[in-house]
Amino acid sequence: MADRFAPGARVRTFRHDPPHHTRLPRYARGKRGVVVEPEGRAELADVSAQGHGDAPVEQVYAVRFAARDLWGEGDHHVVLDLWESYLEEVRDDER
Amino acid sequence: MARINDVGGMQGFGAVDTTDDTEPFHADWEARVVGLFNALRAQGMFNTNEFRDAIESMPAKEYLAASYYERWFTAICALLERKGVIEPGELDEQGEPTEQGEPAGLEARERAEQGESAELEARDG
Amino acid sequence: MSGDHHDDALISRRVRRLETLLEERGVLSGGALDEAIDAFLAQSSPANGARVVARAWVDPSFKSRLLADGTAAVQELGYMEGSYQRLRVVENTESVHNVIVCTLCSCYPLRLLGPSPSWYKSESYRSRVVREPRAVLAEFGLALPAGTEIAVWDSSAETRYMVLPRRPADTESFPEEELAARVTRNALIGTAAV
């Protein structure tokens, strides 16, 4: 299956706040970042954590966030490893 | 809702104690717990995500009060109970009457909260 | 630090009772646990990461392979064989400093760095290094120039990160083993320079 996002793609994380295990920390929910690279496919942790043997397998991406976008200030970057279904595309006409 | 493990960006945990540990484990039981985790995961008793989920599902106050490998042990026990391998309470000390007539497990727990922690603190410091 | 107030003797007995129960029920065989512990300790040490760094410093082609595909490169040296995890090595340069964390739990390149230090697993480090890395690094005694860009790698999936520190200037004549001896665990996490 082809990767949905290429390196350099602008993405936004979902704002979801699930009642179960997830690997999208709350500080990075609903935030815009840039894909660094694909990391390889892995079972979606949210489903795998429930002990099901049939968790969907998705591409995981390293996604880079500017501190300013996460915290409103700061000049560092934070990179997170995020499953494809945590991410949506940011359209070109979005500022 | 976010769980207690999800601490990125939270205030209030204070300065980092940068003391370097010279030994991989502070007590033999910590190594046993790591061994339990590795052996049980290797045989498919649970996967790493289930294990993380079990740690995060600890009540927030217990999570913060527990040491790192205590969290691991709590999670291993919770998963083994969920899978029907052990029964709740099975690891408690039973049948050993104490001075107060309380089960030894309870008595030891109270002791841990009072006098004996002083010695442990001194050693950890 | 959490966990200072608990009774080692009490939990130690509970762990032993669990081991006994699992053996009685045929879930674990007698020596399985000792084997798991020995295997873990035998293949997990910060000396491994230090050797990888020293090799990268003396061998430019190894260094490019290491930065391109960390897992494959360290497997050349016999590390991380059979691991389901991926290793990504991030290089410190004059302009960029990298530091590793796991805010959600304690993900860490165990095979290359051994069991992690207590501070790495602490809520203080995990909560703050993504928010104010410069202040946290200062607490480790690492003062970075104002212009240095900081990248914080928050391991949230199956990739494990290791920092390739900058080689100290005065070490041109050093043999590889001596270089490796200079590399500390904190330098491999990014909370120290070499």
Side-chain angles (χ1 to χ4, degrees):
Chain A
M1 198 192 293
D3 294 346
R4 186 167 163 211
F5 304 110
R10 295 192 304 145
V11 291
R12 185 190 300 102
T13 56
F14 278 119
R15 289 183 189 278
H16 78 324
D17 188 24
H20 53 68
H21 175 81
T22 185
R23 296 296 284 181
L24 175 56
R26 61 180 149 168
Y27 77 81
R29 293 178 189 167
K31 306 291 185 185
R32 283 162 63 146
V34 175
V35 170
V36 177
E37 62 193 7
E39 300 184 3
R41 301 171 67 78
E43 284 190 354
L44 182 61
D46 304 48
V47 180
S48 160
Q50 294 164 39
H52 304 308
D54 56 349
V57 174
E58 294 180 3
Q59 183 60 265
V60 180
Y61 301 88
V63 181
R64 179 181 166 100
F65 299 87
R68 193 169 293 277
D69 290 334
L70 296 175
W71 316 110
E73 60 177 29
D75 56 6
H76 62 281
H77 287 90
V78 177
V79 182
L80 279 154
D81 311 309
L82 300 175
W83 271 265
E84 194 164 270
S85 59
Y86 297 166
L87 304 172
E88 61 186 354
E89 207 173 351
V90 174
R91 295 190 315 270
D92 283 345
D93 58 351
E94 282 185 65
R95 290 188 59 84
Chain B
M1 283 160 66
R3 291 170 166 182
I4 186 61
N5 66 299
D6 189 359
V7 297
M10 270 182 77
Q11 263 186 39
F13 289 114
V16 180
D17 177 354
T18 60
T19 311
D20 207 4
D21 311 75
T22 47
E23 297 296 325
F25 300 109
H26 302 106
D28 185 55
W29 69 263
E30 296 185 346
R32 311 298 296 170
V33 167
V34 172
L36 277 169
F37 168 74
N38 283 333
L40 292 169
R41 186 186 59 173
Q43 62 168 256
M45 179 65 74
F46 48 75
N47 67 44
T48 307
N49 294 314
E50 286 178 276
F51 176 69
R52 289 182 183 135
D53 177 63
I55 290 180
E56 297 161 10
S57 302
M58 287 174 72
K61 283 165 88 170
E62 284 177 30
Y63 175 94
L64 290 175
S67 75
Y68 182 72
Y69 289 112
E70 280 178 313
R71 293 175 192 167
W72 278 42
F73 186 59
T74 303
I76 289 168
C77 293
L79 288 167
L80 289 171
E81 281 177 23
R82 190 184 304 167
K83 306 206 179 233
V85 177
I86 61 171
E87 299 286 329
E90 227 180 349
L91 301 181
D92 293 344
E93 292 173 11
Q94 283 157 2
E96 296 169 39
T98 64
E99 287 166 37
Q100 290 81 22
E102 295 284 334
L106 280 178
E107 197 257 347
R109 219 178 247 289
E110 279 164 19
R111 229 179 29 235
E113 284 164 12
Q114 297 160 10
E116 293 191 358
S117 57
E119 184 194 335
L120 290 167
E121 275 183 285
R123 198 204 51 213
D124 284 351
Chain C
M1 207 174 91
S2 59
D4 290 346
H5 304 284
H6 291 261
D7 188 344
D8 266 352
L10 173 65
I11 191 166
S12 176
R13 289 197 297 274
R14 291 179 69 87
V15 172
R16 229 170 310 145
R17 275 200 294 281
L18 179 59
E19 285 182 38
T20 308
L21 280 180
L22 293 177
E23 281 175 31
E24 283 170 4
R25 287 166 198 182
V27 177
L28 282 181
S29 65
L33 210 54
D34 292 310
E35 278 170 35
I37 296 166
D38 290 346
F40 172 75
L41 287 173
Q43 65 189 4
S44 309
S45 160
N48 299 346
R51 272 185 226 117
V52 171
V53 165
R55 175 63 56 85
W57 281 345
V58 300
D59 180 347
S61 82
F62 176 76
K63 178 177 156 182
S64 18
R65 293 200 298 282
L66 182 68
L67 295 176
D69 183 346
T71 321
V74 301
Q75 282 172 350
E76 290 175 31
L77 304 185
Y79 306 129
M80 282 185 79
E81 273 159 5
S83 173
Y84 62 95
Q85 286 165 342
R86 164 182 179 262
L87 179 72
R88 169 80 145 87
V89 176
V90 289
E91 183 187 19
N92 285 351
T93 65
E94 207 175 332
S95 55
V96 178
H97 181 87
N98 297 284
V99 59
I100 310 305
V101 66
C102 171
T103 62
L104 292 173
C105 49
S106 58
C107 298
Y108 186 78
L110 287 172
R111 307 280 194 106
L112 292 162
L113 270 64
S116 57
S118 293
W119 61 258
Y120 184 85
K121 299 174 280 210
S122 70
E123 279 75 40
S124 309
Y125 181 75
R126 288 162 48 209
S127 61
R128 291 178 52 221
V129 77
V130 286
R131 176 71 176 89
E132 45 175 10
R134 218 169 264 277
V136 170
L137 295 178
E139 282 165 25
F140 283 87
L142 180 61
L144 296 171
T148 302
E149 185 188 322
I150 300 176
V152 184
W153 300 79
D154 185 356
S155 328
S156 47
E158 298 306 343
T159 292
R160 296 293 169 267
Y161 293 92
M162 186 178 86
V163 173
L164 175 58
R166 297 174 70 195
R167 180 174 179 170
D170 57 345
T171 57
E172 287 82 3
S173 60
F174 280 39
E176 201 174 320
E177 308 82 70
E178 218 169 302
L179 286 170
R182 296 275 295 258
V183 180
T184 62
R185 177 165 64 183
N186 284 15
L188 298 166
I189 306 172
T191 54
V194 177

